[in-house]
Amino acid sequence: MSAAAMPAPEDLVLRADADGIATLTLNRGHARNALSLGLMAALHGALDAIRDDRAVRVVVLRGAGPAFCSGHDLKEMRADPSAGAVEAVFAACSALMLAITRLPQPVIAEVHGIATAAGCQLVATCDLAVCAEEARFATPGVQIGLFCSTPMVALSRAVPRKAALEMLLLGEPIEAAEALRIGLVNRVVPAADLAASVQAMAARIAAKAPRVLAIGKEAFARQNELGLEEAYAYASAVMTRNMLMDEAAEGIDAFLQKRPPRWEA
């Protein structure tokens, strides 16, 4: 792609909203959506804008071009290999992943092509993931002398220990069926059905009470970091707070009255 045809900085992430679903498209297709500093900043900014947008109930993350995301932009990193520049890249990436985790709205990864290194980290960080049958996943850093230590954080929390270590130590790609088996993705669908399948899943989630979704997403992350006794104490406090909310009263009344609930925006 010529320089004139390159996306402008403000176009590195495209946003489209419909029916409570915000779709964010990584728009560096010419570079297989490699996570340059600019792309990470644009995505982080888009997530920050969505955080307090009450019209958005679900976020879909996808990639333009032939791949979902190929990981960090290695050309950019080699252009300035100083310690400060390298630290800035990994700090930006970690902040981005935390922004996804802490976003009140659930985030669904719509994966096609490859999701490698930090791209695989992105999939593991999202709350849900649906991929095309042809999708491939890898944490291949060990192949080039750079162990995927930051992708390991999300991967090891998404899949069983030995499955994560096999991906990290071998650095070899796994197919969509294997990603489904180990729990890296929720569903595998034909490529032609990918977008429609993700939108259908997002629509079903968007039909739920947004404040309840936010409470549940935060509680899931926090209890997962606690010991069993502490997790029950924390979850009980969350459920008590949830039970006293208008949404619980409306939902239970609707169930008892055999009618659809009416959620506030």
Side-chain angles (χ1 to χ4, degrees):
M1 180 179 290
S2 68
M6 291 284 190
E10 63 269 21
D11 296 330
L12 289 173
V13 173
L14 306 178
R15 175 176 170 178
D17 291 32
D19 302 321
I21 303 166
T23 299
L24 300 179
T25 302
L26 307 180
N27 196 33
R28 292 191 77 212
H30 65 283
R32 295 180 181 266
N33 298 311
L35 294 175
S36 63
L37 281 168
L39 179 54
M40 288 190 288
L43 180 54
H44 200 155
L47 293 169
D48 285 345
I50 285 171
R51 169 176 288 278
D52 297 319
D53 189 339
R54 298 185 65 181
V56 177
R57 300 188 177 189
V58 185
V59 177
V60 171
L61 184 60
R62 62 186 301 276
F68 174 73
C69 178
S70 60
H72 286 297
D73 189 329
L74 297 179
K75 289 183 179 179
E76 180 181 77
M77 294 181 72
R78 288 302 295 154
D80 184 356
S82 66
V86 172
E87 288 173 359
V89 168
F90 293 121
C93 186
S94 296
L96 173 60
M97 301 302 162
L98 286 171
I100 294 171
T101 300
R102 293 170 178 167
L103 194 74
Q105 298 92 336
V107 182
I108 306 173
E110 179 184 311
V111 187
H112 73 291
I114 59 169
T116 54
C120 188
Q121 178 183 6
L122 198 54
V123 175
T125 299
C126 289
D127 302 298
L128 300 171
V130 179
C131 76
E133 291 173 336
E134 43 79 26
R136 299 293 182 270
F137 304 82
T139 47
V142 70
Q143 306 275 25
I144 59 170
L146 182 66
F147 198 85
C148 284
S149 298
T150 45
M152 174 179 67
V153 175
L155 184 65
S156 64
R157 284 161 170 76
V159 307
R161 176 180 180 272
K162 285 184 171 57
L165 279 169
E166 181 174 348
M167 289 185 67
L168 292 160
L169 294 173
L170 294 180
E172 297 170 355
I174 63 171
E175 298 185 353
E178 178 65 4
L180 178 64
R181 188 188 71 81
I182 65 176
L184 182 57
V185 301
N186 298 89
R187 298 179 186 178
V188 177
V189 300
D193 299 334
L194 179 59
S197 296
V198 172
Q199 288 297 310
M201 175 184 281
R204 290 169 64 185
I205 297 172
K208 311 298 191 293
R211 285 207 304 167
V212 176
L213 292 174
I215 285 174
K217 176 173 173 175
E218 180 184 19
F220 184 89
R222 289 189 60 185
Q223 65 81 28
N224 201 41
E225 298 173 352
L226 301 172
L228 185 61
E229 186 172 345
E230 293 84 358
Y232 271 118
Y234 166 72
S236 295
V238 171
M239 284 212 74
T240 298
R241 176 161 54 93
N242 192 169
M243 185 66 186
L244 298 176
M245 289 169 53
D246 292 341
E247 286 88 344
E250 166 61 17
I252 293 171
D253 288 349
F255 175 77
L256 295 174
Q257 295 166 18
K258 296 180 172 55
R259 61 172 175 81
R262 295 181 290 269
W263 308 124
E264 294 183 6

